[in-house]
Amino acid sequence: MLRSAPARAAAAGTPVDRPFVTVDVAIFAIVDGRLQVLLVKRARGEHEPHPGRWALPGGFVDVERDASLDACARRKLREKTGVHEEHLEQLKTVGGPRRDPRGWSVTTVYFALIPRDRAVVAGGNASDAAWFPVEDEARPRPLAFDHDALLQAALERLRAKVEYTVLPAALLPESFTLPELQRTFETVLGRELDKSAFRTRMLSAGVIEETGEMRADTRRPAVLYRLSATPAQAMPGTFRKREG
């Protein structure tokens, strides 16, 4: 059996420097009608890097507890924020000697989408946690480590996938109206969409279906829909900007 260079060195008794391995998660939700990200404030311990600075939730991989990187990401969400993700997707892996003042580090970045009716921070061991609008000038800057760049990458990936999937539906409750779905798409994209084209595309793509129920708490009862496919399932075409 062929061994990797680190494995051969370890077997020969040669010490091998190993990087820190972590996961970081950009958690998005629609809060107060705006696309927001969940940030945690780092502890102020004597040996903590970036004490008191806001950051994406995350932490070290525990080789005894985490069966995979995905499992580690889910565990960190629960431990630090109390949030249980609905849609969790791996974004990319980055590494380098200057990301973390403690040494050479590698992190795998995820993004998660939380339905608005569950976007409540409860518990966790972070010193603080709060939602912040992703593009508001009042959002804490700079974030700890290289998290500003990681957050921007996650936001760009989310918006890119919105153009060809029904991913924003993961930000809604289980049942929703077509106007609610369109507003969610527009909130994520940061622009308006043509109402007729949006409705046609959603209904013809086969990614949503009627629940058989109506919402009667509006002036005009509205048909309720739910997902009939995974949020990341591709749809044909792209979205047009709203005319006028």
Side-chain angles (χ1 to χ4, degrees), residues 137-175:
E137 289 299 321
R139 179 175 67 76
R141 289 180 173 85
L143 298 179
F145 308 106
D146 55 355
H147 287 190
D148 285 295
L150 302 186
L151 173 56
Q152 185 60 34
L155 180 59
E156 290 174 359
R157 174 69 64 84
L158 172 60
R159 285 177 169 165
K161 297 196 74 169
V162 168
E163 291 285 357
Y164 62 90
T165 73
V166 71
L167 203 55
L171 296 164
L172 287 166
E174 184 176 355
S175 59

Side-chain angles (χ1 to χ4, degrees), residues 74-244:
R74 292 188 178 94
R75 178 174 62 82
K76 287 300 178 182
L77 288 176
R78 293 192 299 270
E79 290 180 353
K80 289 186 175 289
T81 68
V83 170
H84 293 257
E85 93 294 332
E86 297 297 318
H87 177 84
L88 180 69
E89 185 172 329
Q90 190 176 123
L91 177 62
K92 64 177 182 177
T93 297
V94 298
R98 289 180 288 276
R99 295 190 60 257
D100 190 317
R102 293 169 292 191
W104 219 105
S105 67
V106 174
T107 192
T108 298
V109 190
Y110 289 79
F111 72 86
L113 304 182
I114 306 297
R116 68 186 184 199
D117 58 339
R118 302 180 194 175
V120 178
V121 180
N125 63 4
S127 59
D128 201 357
W131 292 102
F132 293 93
V134 293
E135 295 183 320
D136 196 308
E137 289 299 321
R139 179 175 67 76
R141 289 180 173 85
L143 298 179
F145 308 106
D146 55 355
H147 287 190
D148 285 295
L150 302 186
L151 173 56
Q152 185 60 34
L155 180 59
E156 290 174 359
R157 174 69 64 84
L158 172 60
R159 285 177 169 165
K161 297 196 74 169
V162 168
E163 291 285 357
Y164 62 90
T165 73
V166 71
L167 203 55
L171 296 164
L172 287 166
E174 184 176 355
S175 59
F176 48 82
T177 66
L178 273 177
E180 289 173 340
L181 184 61
Q182 180 170 343
R183 283 194 298 272
T184 302
F185 268 76
E186 292 173 338
T187 299
V188 174
L189 288 171
R191 60 181 173 86
E192 295 184 334
L193 300 170
D194 180 83
K195 180 178 179 180
S196 177
F198 180 87
R199 181 183 182 90
T200 298
R201 185 178 180 196
M202 286 294 109
L203 295 179
S204 63
V207 292
I208 61 173
E209 62 185 10
E210 294 186 15
T211 66
E213 300 178 349
M214 305 281 287
R215 178 168 294 160
D217 57 351
T218 60
R219 289 180 299 176
R220 180 181 300 176
V223 176
L224 287 172
Y225 293 84
R226 63 183 168 226
L227 282 176
S228 58
T230 61
Q233 179 173 318
M235 297 184 296
T238 58
F239 288 108
R240 291 189 293 135
K241 292 185 179 181
R242 182 177 177 180
E243 297 177 359

